Amino acid sequence: MRIDILCLFPETFASPLNQSIIKRAREQGLVNIAVHDVRDYTHDKHHTADDYPYGGGPGMVLKPEPVFEAVEAIKKQLGVSEVPVILLTPQGRLFSQSVAQELALHPHLMLICGHYEGLDERVCEHLATDQISIGDYVLSGGELAALVVVDAIARLIPGVLGSQDSASSDSHSNGLLEYPQYTRPQVYRGWSVPPVLLSGNHGEIAQWRRRQAILRTARRRPDLLEKGNICEEERKWMLENLLSPK
Ligand code: 6GU
């Protein structure tokens, strides 16, 4: 998969894209990520990327010309025409695990990071094919949002994670939060690992994890339970245990 990122602050990406799982995925050639500076596509000597908003008001607006020209130049250089062009903006549709799964199916994506008070609407209307927000809060720019999107997508590419199991048992991939995990020591400061996890009984362990995932989701994110596909027996167990401590 190839991802081209267009932004005003390319240095933001250096460290996060050169760590851990994403670094390894890039080294293995599973994902090719290129970061482009929109200012490189300006023509004036001050490399002006923003301007005052028509109609007045606070802040500056990202100019359309360098953004259009950057997308067109990159497409031309790569010899591609049909590629999703995704704008990162608080006005976009909400990002989620299922949006990540949908985007991970594309062989190529272009991400545009907005900045300042906003972006010229003609970029939204005539260049972007999709607009994504990572949540209901405002960031100073789209760079951090793009990193969130790239990370969530990259770990879904086959081969990026050690075993494909790790992505399918993640929180949200089955509509529920993930069950509690433990490692050694068996007792830490007097707090013991739940005995069922030491039992070696794989059926009981699977049932315990499933029930804990349901309970945790019911307590912390009841809004997600609808999508969790809980059976009648599980719902009964959940209601019996919801009120007990922790
Ligand atoms: Cl994609 N951009 C900005 N600037 N703020 C956000 C966002 C994006 N998603 C949530 N808040």
Side-chain angles (χ1 to χ4, degrees):
M1 180 179 204
R2 181 181 171 106
I3 305 176
D4 287 280
I5 302 169
L6 282 70
C7 64
L8 289 164
F9 299 96
E11 313 85 66
T12 313
F13 294 88
S15 169
L17 296 181
N18 283 300
Q19 314 262 355
S20 178
I21 289 171
I22 308 284
K23 179 188 186 183
R24 199 180 58 207
R26 297 177 75 190
E27 286 169 354
Q28 292 177 323
L30 295 169
V31 61
N32 180 1
I33 305 171
V35 181
H36 310 269
D37 190 339
V38 168
R39 268 182 228 284
D40 292 344
Y41 297 87
T42 55
H43 301 295
D44 63 308
K45 73 166 188 254
H46 295 110
H47 300 287
T48 313
D50 61 331
D51 206 340
Y52 297 97
Y54 273 118
M60 301 294 275
V61 176
L62 189 53
K63 291 166 67 61
E65 305 99 309
V67 183
F68 271 88
E69 286 180 37
V71 168
E72 286 160 1
I74 295 161
K75 279 187 181 178
K76 189 173 173 193
Q77 194 201 333
L78 297 174
V80 295
S81 52
E82 296 289 285
V83 46
V85 177
I86 302 168
L87 201 60
L88 281 310
T89 162
Q91 275 104 48
R93 65 182 173 126
L94 196 56
F95 192 58
S96 65
Q97 193 62 28
S98 64
V99 174
Q101 280 159 359
E102 168 199 326
L103 297 179
L105 299 174
H106 294 279
H108 186 193
L109 296 173
M110 297 185 78
L111 304 182
I112 302 175
C113 306
H115 234 280
Y116 308 120
E117 291 306 299
L119 218 95
D120 189 284
E121 186 67 16
R122 289 163 290 194
V123 172
C124 315
E125 272 192 39
H126 304 295
L127 186 64
T129 60
D130 197 357
Q131 302 188 38
I132 286 178
S133 161
I134 63 162
D136 294 335
Y137 39 81
V138 178
L139 302 169
S140 311
E143 282 84 0
L144 292 175
L147 281 166
V148 166
V149 168
V150 166
D151 189 285
I153 292 172
R155 57 203 307 293
L156 296 175
I157 298 169
V160 167
L161 293 187
S163 71
Q164 271 312 101
D165 261 11
S166 348
S168 48
S169 71
D170 276 345
S171 289
H172 299 295
S173 62
N174 64 358
L176 297 172
L177 302 185
E178 203 185 343
Y179 51 76
Q181 299 270 26
Y182 295 87
T183 186
R184 289 186 289 182
Q186 202 185 120
V187 182
Y188 179 64
R189 299 192 176 187
W191 302 306
S192 298
V193 172
V196 61
L197 297 178
L198 313 172
S199 69
N201 185 326
H202 299 295
E204 279 194 26
I205 291 169
Q207 187 193 53
W208 181 86
R209 285 178 165 169
R210 169 85 183 159
R211 286 179 166 179
Q212 292 301 312
I214 291 168
L215 204 53
R216 176 174 276 193
T217 307
R219 285 176 174 149
R220 299 181 189 176
R221 294 293 307 276
D223 57 302
L224 295 180
L225 266 191
E226 314 282 284
K227 291 190 290 177
N229 287 319
I230 314 293
C231 76
E232 217 26 68
E233 184 198 346
E234 288 170 332
R235 185 172 298 278
K236 183 166 170 282
W237 182 88
M238 176 187 81
L239 293 170
E240 284 165 5
N241 289 271
L242 214 42
L243 295 176
S244 62
K246 209 199 141 253

